[in-house]
Amino acid sequence: MTDGRAGRARWASAVLAALSLLAGACGASQGVSQGTGRQSGAATVQRSSPVATAPTPSTSTPSSTGGSLVAGRYQPLWPFADEKQARDWQESYRSGGHQPWHLDAERTALSFTQGFLGFTGVDQVVKRTVTGGDARVSVGIRGEGGGRPGIAAVIHLVRFGAGPDAPWEVVGTDDTTFSLTTPGYGAVVSSPVRVGGRITGVDESIRVDVRATGSARPLGERCCVAAGGDGVPWSATVTFRAAPGRTLTLVASTGGHVAKVERFAVTGVRVAR
């Protein structure tokens, strides 16, 4: 009897030990699984973060030749090269009402088109849409025989800086039948630069200029690129001279049927340091 009870006790002890080992193994397995899941989630965030932030250049060190971004994401094309210039204008406006046209999106768009780009024949505001600190102004040419004006470009403007008197800044164009997509918006470039996009039209002649705020003349130019068709790609290579870090406006224009310039598109890039 004693040996029987002792045997059963030893058997029970062995079973309990085995169950204890099995429970411990299960607990350890669950802990590893949960830990791997957390690590996997963290790894996913680390991989996705650079994709979300890479297209946006740094704004921490504006220079005299290159501007800080407008609203943290747009290239400052005209009339201010950086936020400091915009603030300086605000101070002069508050103290003496200096150049109030900076508060008018339509006047800024036309001044950019006629004064900065030199497209004097594009003298009509066809449409204006303003949503808060963001505006689209369609500029165009007079219609033949007094007809409806033709839209040459839809200029995108954004308020530069803070306050109700923050001035308007041109940051690009919304392109449709004539586009400028290469190089990408905000890209870092060097000379010579290859530019291009798509165009719909007949017997088109495309001119490309490289411009910058503060320069009266183009820093580089290329004329003329023959093009035509329905959404057909076009491209050209342009040589320019500009200081490292400077923000540039690449301008593509076409015309010659009704007016010298009938359509244009712009994009903003920066010169490699």
Side-chain angles (χ1 to χ4, degrees):
M1 295 292 291
T2 303
D3 290 342
R5 286 195 296 271
R8 288 194 295 272
R10 287 195 296 271
W11 177 84
S13 296
V15 170
L16 289 174
L19 290 174
S20 177
L21 288 173
L22 182 59
C26 291
S29 176
Q30 290 172 356
V32 170
S33 177
Q34 292 169 359
T36 302
R38 287 193 294 269
Q39 290 169 3
S40 176
T44 301
V45 172
Q46 290 168 2
R47 286 196 298 269
S48 64
S49 293
V51 175
T53 59
T56 304
S58 172
T59 63
S60 59
T61 55
S63 68
S64 58
T65 56
S68 52
L69 297 182
V70 184
R73 59 184 297 191
Y74 299 111
Q75 300 298 312
L77 303 186
W78 192 87
F80 303 106
D82 53 34
E83 191 169 1
K84 181 182 182 303
Q85 289 188 4
R87 287 197 304 268
D88 289 345
W89 171 81
Q90 279 183 294
E91 292 177 3
S92 66
Y93 173 73
R94 291 168 182 173
S95 61
H98 182 62
Q99 295 182 325
W101 62 268
H102 286 300
L103 297 176
D104 188 317
E106 290 185 15
R107 292 182 64 186
T108 302
L110 279 178
S111 295
F112 170 77
T113 303
Q114 297 185 300
F116 181 62
L117 300 184
F119 301 156
T120 55
V122 183
D123 58 0
Q124 305 287 301
V125 171
V126 182
K127 183 179 179 181
R128 166 184 170 171
T129 303
V130 179
T131 305
D134 191 280
R136 260 80 175 182
V137 177
S138 300
V139 296
I141 59 176
R142 299 178 185 273
E144 291 185 280
R148 183 182 179 85
I151 295 177
V154 179
I155 299 177
H156 184 193
L157 306 96
V158 176
R159 294 274 194 182
F160 203 174
D165 57 355
W168 288 106
E169 179 83 3
V170 174
V171 298
T173 54
D174 291 349
D175 305 334
T176 54
T177 59
F178 180 41
S179 67
L180 175 54
T181 55
T182 302
Y185 186 81
V188 176
V189 303
S190 57
S191 180
V193 58
R194 187 170 185 80
V195 301
R198 291 183 177 273
I199 189 168
T200 295
V202 180
D203 295 329
E204 302 296 335
S205 180
I206 301 172
R207 176 188 178 91
V208 179
D209 288 330
V210 180
R211 293 185 173 271
T213 300
S215 299
R217 299 178 62 83
L219 306 179
E221 54 189 311
R222 170 74 186 276
C223 190
C224 297
V225 180
D230 185 8
V232 175
W234 68 270
S235 64
T237 300
V238 187
T239 301
F240 65 88
R241 297 183 64 181
R246 190 168 192 177
T247 299
L248 302 178
T249 302
L250 302 183
V251 190
S253 60
T254 185
H257 303 93
V258 177
K260 183 178 180 180
V261 175
E262 297 164 354
R263 287 179 291 171
F264 69 89
V266 308
T267 193
V269 297
R270 293 177 297 124
V271 183
R273 294 185 182 276

